Amino acid sequence: MTAEPIARVRRFNRAVTSEVGALDTSFLGRGRPLGAARVLNAIGQGRSDVAEIRAYLGLDSGLMSRLLRGLEDEGLIETVAHPEDARRRVARLSAAGAREFQAYENLSDAQAEGMLARHPDPAALLAAMDLIASALGRDRVVLEEADPRCAAARHCLGEYYAELGRRFERGFDVSLSRDPDAGDMIRPRGVFLVAMSDGLPLGCVGLKGSGGAVAEVKRLWVSPAARGLKIARRLMDATEAAARGLGIEVLRLDTNSALPEAVRLYRTTGWTEIPRFNDDPYPDTFFEKRL
Amino acid sequence: MTAEPIARVRRFNRAVTSEVGALDTSFLGRGRPLGAARVLNAIGQGRSDVAEIRAYLGLDSGLMSRLLRGLEDEGLIETVAHPEDARRRVARLSAAGAREFQAYENLSDAQAEGMLARHPDPAALLAAMDLIASALGRDRVVLEEADPRCAAARHCLGEYYAELGRRFERGFDVSLSRDPDAGDMIRPRGVFLVAMSDGLPLGCVGLKGSGGAVAEVKRLWVSPAARGLKIARRLMDATEAAARGLGIEVLRLDTNSALPEAVRLYRTTGWTEIPRFNDDPYPDTFFEKRL
DNA sequence: AAATATATCTGACTAAAGTCAGACATCATG
DNA sequence: CATGATGTCTGACTTTAGTCAGATATATTT
């Protein structure tokens, strides 16, 4: 790494600024000023409360009012009083507004698709984008309880299995492992948590309950794009809190010494190593924690 | 990769847009409107011809004229007629303007430094940024003749040696290899080419001449951030052209089967495999091309 | 019920950005 | 040297974004 790190960050900034500038003008390309386009998009994304949009876009109340009136005159939105508080207003897209919003979506999709299509290694490009977006949005990673069979969870589990396949010398085959039943990782028996960053799942963990006082932590995974951001730590803390809420008294987990970051995390967060407690062929290290 | 690729690109766009927005407002933080700040920066970056700046920033001639007048009134720039064409004007920073430009530079540097400092793995972040910036600026990669001892060349060679160290089973030690003399890769004996993308060196190649009709191609390398963009191909084509210009009739090179992309490139671009022609311990494959 | 707080709207304003037509000087070409 | 093209400048204009001070209606608190 001889080249100046700061110069490289600034080169990156220049590159994306000109690209993003092109994106902005494409928004203007639909003959609508940026302010109005931003409000239309905010409404299209599901923000309906006018005050919420105002806070999100950082707009003055007077300006916001005029922008809404303009979109209404164009027939793109409708506003009504909030059912629970008649001072507030809620906005929603009309049929024409939905079409217009979709046109903006299509422009963005086309731009994104073009960028991928032009690159010789789209997977590498996506990995780099995920890394940067996760770094910039590190404060906006939220943990959500999810069904282990939902799309976000399946994405995480797929990546988790693929990574075990790469890291274990003899690969990894889920069918040989004791794949937990989804029902055991849903309330009231257990929970499944996904770490989401602006729509992209970046990590997961499962708490597999049995109905008794002992439960198992399974499937802890964090995307390579987000390692070092303390997401695993947050997932584990949230799992423990959920376990306490379910009346669980003892947590157990199995892992493998080929995953040293995981082992290190357990050792530094109050887990104690215990003898093997199952006959799964993959794990070689076992931990327990009393809550 | 279950998650929608296009959704991931758009997540990246959102993340950098808000970051770049924050950068823009920091420019406004110095009490100067964005237009004037952009012109000042363009001049600071060495663009002096007014027409060129106008084209670069996409400004109307009237607006440009007023922005220049404003900066002149502030005492930040001076404009004079172009020495070869009195219709055109050239602008340059005054001492006060240079200080003001430096203040903007420092803001940008601090922002870049902060981004790196906040990340757990700056090297990975930089690699991702290089990859994306190279992908976005792929059309702006230019080949330049350089001294093999200059900073850009040394950067490339350092990365090249490091990569050989990783790819060869027994590592790589330059001192055991036949390191060409810099003088042999400079005109009139040879050339050294560097592929530059907005200031960052992305690849290199050396033509090592001996004064005779036979010369050797050495040190072909392309940054992992820019693989697949046909830079190696362009470097080799430029090398051949330069060799022809130097009156060279036969090119040779040695390589290693641990570098299959390189071997594939040579095979598909008119090189023919020949018997070993040196006793360097590292190469195991040898090629020749008649010009 | 009165006082206060909140959310939106309206009118009057400013700053910045951008557009357009024409003036002017200079250069290139026949 | 006349003609047309080019680059900059000026004045008059519009659009967009944003600010601020009330006005109005509704909710919350005392």
Side-chain angles (χ1 to χ4, degrees):
Chain A
M1 291 292 172
T2 325
E4 270 290 344
I6 292 176
R8 286 163 68 192
V9 175
R10 295 198 49 195
R11 168 175 177 264
F12 168 79
N13 283 346
R14 282 192 297 276
V16 297
T17 307
S18 64
E19 181 78 10
V20 166
L23 204 149
D24 269 4
T25 53
S26 89
F27 274 80
L28 296 163
R30 288 194 64 79
R32 189 167 294 107
L34 187 58
R38 292 210 305 158
V39 171
L40 185 67
N41 272 279
I43 298 171
Q45 279 159 30
R47 288 171 214 274
S48 54
D49 206 295
V50 167
E52 185 204 339
I53 298 170
R54 217 153 65 67
Y56 170 64
L57 298 177
L59 295 175
D60 174 85
S61 68
L63 181 52
M64 181 69 188
S65 179
R66 264 177 278 264
L67 289 172
L68 285 173
R69 208 69 347 90
L71 290 170
E72 229 168 9
D73 291 349
E74 276 194 90
L76 299 176
I77 63 167
E78 290 145 15
T79 64
V80 291
H82 191 287
E84 283 160 25
D85 181 346
R87 291 170 304 181
R88 293 194 281 167
R89 308 225 92 199
V90 271
R92 63 154 186 275
L93 297 183
S94 67
R99 276 195 302 277
E100 193 62 21
F101 172 68
Q102 193 53 51
Y104 282 113
E105 288 288 289
N106 293 345
L107 279 176
S108 296
D109 281 355
Q111 190 259 4
E113 201 166 6
M115 187 182 286
L116 282 177
R118 255 177 286 126
H119 199 270
D121 187 351
L125 184 61
L126 282 172
M129 289 181 163
D130 287 349
L131 181 79
I132 291 169
S134 302
L136 296 178
R138 59 185 305 169
D139 313 320
R140 286 186 291 274
V141 175
V142 291
L143 306 191
E144 292 173 6
E145 229 177 286
D147 188 301
R149 290 158 299 197
C150 75
R154 286 209 320 275
H155 168 77
C156 292
L157 293 173
E159 295 286 314
Y160 173 72
Y161 300 143
E163 177 149 10
L164 292 188
R166 285 190 302 272
R167 306 254 306 241
F168 290 170
E169 264 183 34
R170 274 155 300 172
F172 177 77
D173 180 354
V174 202
S175 64
L176 298 181
S177 178
R178 304 196 318 161
D179 196 28
D181 198 54
D184 289 342
M185 300 197 289
I186 296 178
R187 287 180 192 273
R189 293 172 79 88
V191 292
F192 193 84
L193 299 175
V194 182
M196 299 292 290
S197 163
D198 190 16
L200 185 72
L202 287 183
C204 68
V205 67
L207 176 71
K208 178 196 163 198
S210 57
V214 180
E216 227 180 303
V217 175
K218 305 287 292 179
R219 309 306 187 227
L220 175 65
W221 173 79
V222 173
S223 162
R227 305 239 163 116
L229 304 181
K230 310 276 175 209
I231 292 176
R233 182 78 181 254
R234 285 177 58 191
L235 284 168
M236 288 299 285
D237 289 350
T239 306
E240 283 182 30
R244 280 200 196 84
L246 290 171
I248 287 159
E249 290 158 23
V250 179
L251 288 179
R252 284 177 176 176
L253 63 85
D254 60 30
T255 184
N256 190 293
S257 47
L259 307 170
E261 329 83 291
V263 173
R264 201 173 316 121
L265 172 67
Y266 303 137
R267 283 197 203 287
T268 57
T269 52
W271 291 75
T272 48
E273 202 165 339
I274 56 169
R276 172 182 283 273
F277 62 80
N278 66 27
D279 56 358
D280 192 306
Y282 291 106
D284 63 7
T285 311
F286 301 80
F287 284 96
E288 184 177 276
K289 186 172 192 174
R290 311 205 141 260
L291 299 181
Chain B
M1 291 294 172
T2 326
E4 268 291 342
I6 292 176
R8 286 164 68 189
V9 175
R10 294 196 51 192
R11 167 174 177 262
F12 169 80
N13 284 347
R14 282 192 297 275
V16 298
T17 308
S18 64
E19 182 77 9
V20 165
L23 204 150
D24 270 3
T25 54
S26 91
F27 274 78
L28 295 164
R30 287 194 65 78
R32 190 167 292 108
L34 186 60
R38 293 210 306 158
V39 171
L40 185 68
N41 272 279
I43 298 171
Q45 280 159 28
R47 289 171 212 273
S48 54
D49 205 295
V50 168
E52 185 203 340
I53 298 170
R54 216 154 66 65
Y56 170 63
L57 298 177
L59 296 175
D60 173 84
S61 68
L63 181 51
M64 180 71 186
S65 180
R66 265 176 277 263
L67 290 172
L68 285 173
R69 205 74 34 236
L71 290 170
E72 229 167 10
D73 291 349
E74 277 193 90
L76 300 176
I77 63 166
E78 289 145 13
T79 64
V80 291
H82 192 286
E84 283 160 25
D85 183 345
R87 290 170 304 182
R88 293 193 282 166
R89 308 226 91 198
V90 277
R92 63 155 185 275
L93 297 183
S94 67
R99 278 195 300 277
E100 192 62 21
F101 172 68
Q102 193 53 51
Y104 283 112
E105 288 288 288
N106 293 345
L107 279 176
S108 296
D109 281 355
Q111 189 258 5
E113 202 166 5
M115 186 182 287
L116 281 178
R118 254 176 287 125
H119 199 269
D121 187 351
L125 184 61
L126 281 172
M129 288 180 164
D130 286 349
L131 181 81
I132 290 168
S134 301
L136 296 178
R138 58 184 307 169
D139 313 320
R140 287 184 292 273
V141 175
V142 291
L143 306 190
E144 291 173 8
E145 229 176 287
D147 189 302
R149 291 158 301 197
C150 75
R154 288 210 318 276
H155 167 78
C156 291
L157 293 172
E159 295 285 314
Y160 172 71
Y161 300 144
E163 176 150 9
L164 293 188
R166 284 190 302 272
R167 306 255 303 239
F168 290 171
E169 265 182 32
R170 276 154 301 172
F172 178 77
D173 179 355
V174 201
S175 66
L176 299 181
S177 180
R178 305 194 320 160
D179 197 29
D181 199 55
D184 290 342
M185 299 197 291
I186 297 178
R187 289 181 191 273
R189 293 173 80 89
V191 292
F192 192 85
L193 300 175
V194 182
M196 300 291 290
S197 163
D198 190 16
L200 185 73
L202 287 183
C204 68
V205 68
L207 177 70
K208 178 195 165 198
S210 57
V214 180
E216 229 180 300
V217 175
K218 306 285 292 180
R219 309 307 186 224
L220 175 65
W221 173 79
V222 173
S223 162
R227 303 235 167 117
L229 304 181
K230 310 275 176 209
I231 291 176
R233 182 79 182 254
R234 285 177 59 189
L235 284 167
M236 288 299 284
D237 289 349
T239 307
E240 283 183 31
R244 281 199 196 84
L246 290 170
I248 287 160
E249 289 158 22
V250 179
L251 288 179
R252 283 178 178 174
L253 63 85
D254 59 29
T255 185
N256 190 294
S257 48
L259 306 170
E261 329 83 291
V263 173
R264 202 172 315 123
L265 173 66
Y266 303 137
R267 283 197 204 286
T268 56
T269 53
W271 292 75
T272 48
E273 203 166 339
I274 56 169
R276 172 180 282 273
F277 62 80
N278 66 28
D279 56 359
D280 193 306
Y282 292 106
D284 63 8
T285 312
F286 301 80
F287 284 97
E288 184 176 277
K289 184 173 193 174
R290 313 204 140 260
L291 298 181

